[in-house]
Amino acid sequence: MKLHEYQSRDLLSSFGVPVPKGEVTDNPTNALEIAQDLGGRVVVKAQVLMGGRGKAGGVKLFNSAQEAADFTKELIGKRLVSPQNPTGMVVEKVLISELIDIEKEFYIAVLLDRAEQKDVIMISARGGMDIEEVAEKDPHAIVKLHVDPKWGLSDYEIRDAIKQAKIDARAEKQLVSLIKSLYKAYKENDCTLVEINPCALTPDGRVIAADAKVAIDDNALFRHPNFAEVSSESAEDPIEAEAAKQGIAYVKLDGEIGVIGNGAGLVMLTLDEVARAGSKAANFLDVGGGAQSERVKECVQLVLMNEKVKALLINIFGGITRGDEVAKGVVQAIQELNVKIPIVVRVEGTNADQAKQILSGANLIPADSVQEAAEKVVESLKL
Ligand code: GDP
Ligand code: MN
């Protein structure tokens, strides 16, 4: 789960990382007040979960509160597109933060180096908006410090790495403490990434995190109930957010066939068969083992939240999951949600005969094999 910048900086600040003063808002009037309170010299930053906001026109510096408010008005509701994210994301909130005078920009990140099986701290004196280019053309400009899982991180190692990265000596002491704070935040929150770019050195010699990016390991979220609130705000897709809330394994894809199945393997197979039949799945959805009719109904509802879905394929192989329960759920969903699009259903295994009987009353297209189901659902698009 990625956190927004405003959430990331709050988290890091609570670990002692210096961040600029600032506040988040979703309306221009409020933005004016915030900018005035900050003295008018501010940065307005789009809060979208994508990299390269600066280059996409989502970050701008201002000398007056009014201009900052005007820009906020322009930005909210706008879709930002960057090379990292060609489809783009719509801006809902902006962060108004105090403008920092920047003399130098560093890059600092903490993440897992899977090949080395160790956490790694990455440090570069060439931070800023072109770090991707630096990484590609001049990788030696990024110094890597691996953390020994047994001994942890020592001050002298951090100091060495900072020197090796040829970072301005004025920043050294503050950076050692900043990196220790970052690493502590990374460990204690089960992060997969903590990144500061740029980490600013001001003309008067202060080190400040001018941008912050934090991602948390989804599989560790149960250990951090405090992020529950954050997670709905920071979901990249509203349907995936709803699925996460309901505990449904759902991944949005870009096709037009909604897919529901039980068992990740069977769902993957179904996606492949849809592709082979000449269309594309709109999602991955695993109803899980032993799903009851109510659950199946929720899943149908979730898949139909995606407006691109033109037909639905339900593929159940009954084991622990009983076919008749699934069938009941599907029939209920069609009635209660007044579903009009074609639905192809294939049920095999436990209680399949009862399932077929329940389904035969409803307006559905039955299929006996996955291949047949995929062909029929793609065919139904042409009707
Ligand atoms: P990103 O492009 O999504 O990584 O967004 P950033 O928050 O990193 O902002 C992009 C660029 O705007 C940074 O690399 C800085 O050069 C500049 N910037 C951001 N905040 C400030 C600030 O407070 N003062 C100055 N002078 N520049 C800033
Ligand atoms: Mn940045």
Side-chain angles (χ1 to χ4, degrees):
M1 177 182 78
K2 291 181 195 165
L3 305 192
H4 280 291
E5 179 190 8
Y6 71 93
Q7 297 161 332
S8 304
R9 69 203 292 276
D10 285 354
L11 178 70
L12 296 179
S13 167
S14 74
F15 279 79
V17 174
V19 301
K21 284 196 207 101
E23 241 178 276
V24 69
T25 179
D26 59 5
N27 90 68
T29 320
N30 201 0
L32 182 65
E33 273 173 34
I34 298 170
Q36 278 164 346
D37 286 349
L38 291 170
R41 291 189 73 223
V42 293
V43 192
V44 177
K45 312 176 87 176
Q47 298 300 288
V48 283
L49 294 167
M50 61 185 227
R53 294 168 305 168
K55 285 184 177 167
V59 176
K60 249 183 165 171
L61 319 187
F62 295 97
N63 275 313
S64 95
Q66 189 56 52
E67 282 169 12
D70 291 346
F71 181 63
T72 301
K73 194 167 180 183
E74 192 183 306
L75 207 51
I76 287 178
K78 192 172 160 186
R79 182 174 289 273
L80 285 188
V81 179
S82 75
Q84 286 105 313
N85 196 325
T87 50
M89 298 192 105
V90 175
V91 182
E92 284 172 7
K93 290 183 179 160
V94 298
L95 172 69
I96 317 270
S97 92
E98 150 199 27
L99 196 146
I100 306 292
D101 289 322
I102 302 183
E103 189 179 311
K104 286 183 174 158
E105 297 191 324
F106 314 132
Y107 175 88
I108 317 281
V110 188
L111 64 156
L112 176 67
D113 184 336
R114 290 176 187 278
E116 291 287 330
Q117 303 184 9
K118 281 176 186 156
D119 292 328
V120 61
I121 320 270
M122 305 221 275
I123 306 172
S124 178
R126 291 170 50 192
M129 291 199 280
D130 292 317
I131 192 71
E132 282 84 7
E133 204 182 311
V134 174
E136 198 178 313
K137 295 194 178 138
D138 196 5
H140 293 294
I142 301 175
V143 172
K144 291 182 180 178
L145 168 60
H146 286 96
V147 184
D148 188 306
K150 190 164 173 200
W151 300 109
L153 197 56
S154 309
D155 286 22
Y156 78 89
E157 290 176 309
I158 306 175
R159 265 197 312 271
D160 278 356
I162 293 171
K163 287 202 173 93
Q164 206 189 323
K166 301 198 174 69
I167 282 186
D168 194 307
R170 283 177 295 163
E172 186 180 304
K173 221 173 145 190
Q174 296 168 75
L175 266 186
V176 171
S177 124
L178 181 140
I179 288 171
K180 276 160 63 179
S181 300
L182 287 187
Y183 192 60
K184 191 159 190 275
Y186 170 87
K187 286 305 257 187
E188 288 185 11
N189 293 286
D190 291 307
C191 297
T192 54
L193 173 73
V194 172
E195 184 188 79
I196 308 292
N197 185 36
C199 180
L201 176 66
T202 65
D204 58 356
R206 288 175 303 140
V207 169
I208 299 172
D211 186 14
K213 196 186 268 180
V214 171
I216 314 281
D217 185 347
D218 288 330
N219 294 315
L221 280 176
F222 73 98
R223 292 209 285 226
H224 307 284
N226 51 318
F227 287 128
E229 194 181 313
V230 170
S231 84
S232 61
E233 296 228 346
S234 74
E236 285 155 84
D237 180 88
I239 309 179
E240 289 184 358
E242 184 56 34
K245 231 187 265 170
Q246 300 187 27
I248 297 172
Y250 173 98
V251 180
K252 192 162 170 194
L253 302 169
D254 58 4
E256 51 190 6
I257 310 283
V259 172
I260 294 176
N262 65 319
L266 187 69
V267 180
M268 298 294 274
L269 168 76
T270 313
L271 303 186
D272 286 347
E273 288 298 339
V274 168
R276 194 156 75 159
S279 186
K280 269 164 120 186
N283 66 277
F284 169 101
L285 190 155
D286 175 7
V287 295
Q292 304 282 303
S293 59
E294 187 62 24
R295 184 63 161 181
V296 174
K297 198 183 91 190
E298 286 162 3
C299 290
V300 173
Q301 196 162 9
L302 193 72
V303 168
L304 297 181
M305 276 173 73
N306 180 354
E307 284 157 11
K308 275 172 122 184
V309 171
K310 295 213 179 69
L312 191 58
L313 197 175
I314 299 174
N315 183 14
I316 302 296
F317 192 88
I320 303 169
T321 308
R322 287 167 41 193
D324 56 325
E325 277 294 328
V326 174
K328 267 190 244 165
V330 174
V331 172
Q332 268 175 27
I334 301 174
Q335 286 167 352
E336 288 174 31
L337 309 172
N338 193 20
V339 182
K340 292 277 192 292
I341 59 170
I343 303 182
V344 178
V345 186
R346 179 246 179 182
V347 185
E348 268 307 330
T350 312
N351 295 356
D353 290 343
Q354 282 150 273
K356 280 173 191 155
Q357 202 146 27
I358 296 168
L359 294 168
S360 67
N363 195 13
L364 298 163
I365 307 166
D368 288 322
S369 70
V370 190
Q371 288 79 4
E372 188 194 329
E375 279 159 21
K376 281 187 167 169
V377 80
V378 173
E379 197 60 34
S380 79
L381 295 176
K382 297 171 192 153
L383 299 177

